[in-house]
Amino acid sequence: MIGPEIETLINLLSRMPGLGPRSARRAVLHLVRKRESLLLPLADALQTARDSIVTCTTCGAIDTIDPCTICADPRRDDSVICVVEDVGDLWALERAKATKGRYHVLGGVLSALDGVGPEDLSLAGLKTRCDTGLVQEVILATNATVEGQSTAHYIMDMLKGSDVKVSRLAHGVPVGGELDYLDDGTLAEAMKSRTEF
Amino acid sequence: MIGPEIETLINLLSRMPGLGPRSARRAVLHLVRKRESLLLPLADALQTARDSIVTCTTCGAIDTIDPCTICADPRRDDSVICVVEDVGDLWALERAKATKGRYHVLGGVLSALDGVGPEDLSLAGLKTRCDTGLVQEVILATNATVEGQSTAHYIMDMLKGSDVKVSRLAHGVPVGGELDYLDDGTLAEAMKSRTEF
């Protein structure tokens, strides 16, 4: 006995990651209660997103302009490209202010199980960017998973002919982490890559 | 280095119940990936909600018409009003098809701590509806919390003069529940209100 418009809204919201049917209903009630401060701005923001969010044709990030803010920024270092799996990873690195270089979003990882091959990722675009002569270093910042690492190896092989330096993120103890809770692989890597104090 | 439009969307989404900043970012990425199947319909649904969701002036439920679908439905029983705290409770009772009567949404519960007094709830409207002579029974379906029960008592006192029968939901063992996991209060109530088998 809920109106069809409200039902539709609940159904759509329940398909968002992190929300189920119950929390979608709570969300709708919350939206209706906070009409002025949340429902109206959110409806506007989604309209704007719908009309203006595009994928950057250079790096694959999402933004409201193409080329994206990072690709268009003249203060970024053209000689470094940081390769990430996904836009979320790019955002994480940007929040950490980890690099002043450019990015390249692969749009996934190689995965035989999921049927993702090299042609499904934006590898050709990466090769083209590396061949311009501007790029001196490619930082592989794929996730430290099996798929992420094998994708990194694939890219290293792909770039072997060119004179671009290929590096990857360091493995080690997370800042603030306790040794007792870390897995053996991380500890072994941290020991192997130990630095002078 | 995220565009301001995307930043705004993330900020707004992170204010929804059940979503924090991290899950709001994941949600935005999910929306952008599922542009056709989720972002566009959700933007439309929110616009519709914004333009059309109203609070029913009779019962306090939310719907796209006023009086709401339930208040306008001639097949519902005019002699019964089920009093609930919130629209979410009304939806729960409707999903369970628990009553064929009408509803009255209080919009909260009496709470000295939160400074909610009788004038903050839609009690006057309930009194008016009960005074029409149509209503024979008021079912108090407030939550089984201290505030919910004291609000129920307040309404019972308010309706004492009229010849409306006042009832409340039964307490007892939830269907599918195990006795071992139930609290003492529920078990005592279930024993007290036991029915012939």
Side-chain angles (χ1 to χ4, degrees):
Chain A
M1 268 306 170
I2 310 177
E5 294 90 348
I6 302 176
E7 196 81 72
T8 309
L9 186 57
I10 293 175
N11 282 338
L12 288 168
L13 280 175
S14 68
R15 284 167 48 203
M16 303 259 280
L19 289 181
R22 185 175 292 267
S23 42
R25 281 195 296 269
R26 275 208 305 144
V28 169
L29 287 175
H30 189 76
L31 282 173
V32 173
R33 262 185 231 117
K34 308 251 169 188
R35 192 185 155 79
E36 297 303 322
S37 67
L38 194 53
L39 177 55
L40 305 193
L42 185 60
D44 286 340
L46 270 177
Q47 283 290 342
T48 313
R50 182 177 96 152
D51 299 338
S52 63
I53 288 186
V54 286
T55 303
C56 175
T57 44
T58 310
C59 73
I62 62 166
D63 205 329
T64 43
I65 48 172
D66 178 22
C68 71
T69 321
I70 296 174
C71 286
D73 188 347
R75 287 165 303 173
R76 312 275 312 201
D77 186 354
D78 270 323
S79 67
V80 175
I81 291 183
C82 181
V83 178
V84 293
E85 292 179 17
D86 227 321
V87 180
D89 303 327
L90 186 160
W91 290 355
L93 288 168
E94 276 300 287
R95 280 199 302 281
K97 297 193 176 57
T99 174
K100 288 300 284 172
R102 312 276 180 187
Y103 289 94
H104 194 82
V105 181
L106 294 175
V109 274
L110 297 176
S111 166
L113 262 176
D114 299 331
V116 182
E119 66 286 348
D120 299 315
L121 307 180
S122 63
L123 291 168
L126 178 61
K127 187 88 179 72
T128 314
R129 291 177 74 185
C130 290
D131 287 344
T132 53
L134 271 173
V135 180
Q136 282 160 23
E137 181 175 5
V138 167
I139 305 170
L140 299 176
T142 51
N143 289 330
T145 56
V146 175
E147 288 91 354
Q149 293 306 303
S150 56
T151 309
H153 279 288
Y154 185 93
I155 296 173
M156 210 170 60
D157 283 344
M158 181 180 84
L159 297 178
K160 210 163 251 171
S162 60
D163 33 313
V164 173
K165 182 179 144 198
V166 180
S167 58
R168 64 161 198 180
L169 293 188
H171 289 304
V173 183
V175 176
E178 294 184 46
L179 297 195
D180 197 14
Y181 292 98
L182 275 178
D183 61 297
D184 300 350
T186 305
L187 280 179
E189 283 278 358
M191 187 57 79
K192 210 166 68 187
S193 316
R194 67 190 176 278
T195 54
E196 210 170 322
F197 193 64
Chain B
M1 268 305 169
I2 310 178
E5 294 89 348
I6 303 177
E7 195 80 73
T8 309
L9 186 56
I10 293 174
N11 281 338
L12 287 168
L13 279 175
S14 68
R15 284 167 48 202
M16 304 258 280
L19 290 180
R22 184 175 293 266
S23 42
R25 280 194 297 269
R26 276 209 306 142
V28 169
L29 287 176
H30 188 77
L31 282 173
V32 173
R33 263 184 231 120
K34 308 250 169 188
R35 192 184 155 79
E36 298 301 322
S37 66
L38 194 53
L39 176 55
L40 306 193
L42 186 60
D44 287 339
L46 271 177
Q47 282 291 341
T48 314
R50 183 178 95 151
D51 298 338
S52 64
I53 288 186
V54 287
T55 303
C56 174
T57 43
T58 308
C59 73
I62 62 166
D63 205 330
T64 44
I65 48 172
D66 179 20
C68 71
T69 321
I70 296 174
C71 285
D73 189 346
R75 289 165 303 175
R76 310 278 309 202
D77 187 355
D78 270 323
S79 66
V80 175
I81 290 182
C82 181
V83 178
V84 293
E85 291 178 17
D86 228 322
V87 181
D89 303 328
L90 187 161
W91 290 354
L93 289 168
E94 276 299 287
R95 281 199 302 281
K97 297 193 175 56
T99 174
K100 290 298 286 172
R102 311 278 179 186
Y103 289 94
H104 194 83
V105 181
L106 293 175
V109 273
L110 297 176
S111 166
L113 260 177
D114 298 331
V116 181
E119 65 287 347
D120 298 315
L121 307 179
S122 63
L123 291 168
L126 178 63
K127 187 86 180 73
T128 313
R129 291 178 74 186
C130 290
D131 286 344
T132 53
L134 271 172
V135 181
Q136 280 160 24
E137 181 176 3
V138 167
I139 305 170
L140 299 176
T142 50
N143 289 329
T145 55
V146 175
E147 288 91 354
Q149 294 305 303
S150 57
T151 309
H153 278 288
Y154 186 92
I155 296 174
M156 209 171 62
D157 283 343
M158 182 180 83
L159 298 177
K160 209 162 249 174
S162 60
D163 32 313
V164 173
K165 183 179 143 196
V166 180
S167 57
R168 65 160 197 181
L169 294 187
H171 289 305
V173 183
V175 176
E178 294 183 48
L179 297 194
D180 198 14
Y181 293 97
L182 275 177
D183 60 298
D184 301 349
T186 305
L187 279 179
E189 282 278 357
M191 187 55 80
K192 210 166 69 185
S193 316
R194 66 190 177 279
T195 54
E196 210 171 321
F197 194 63

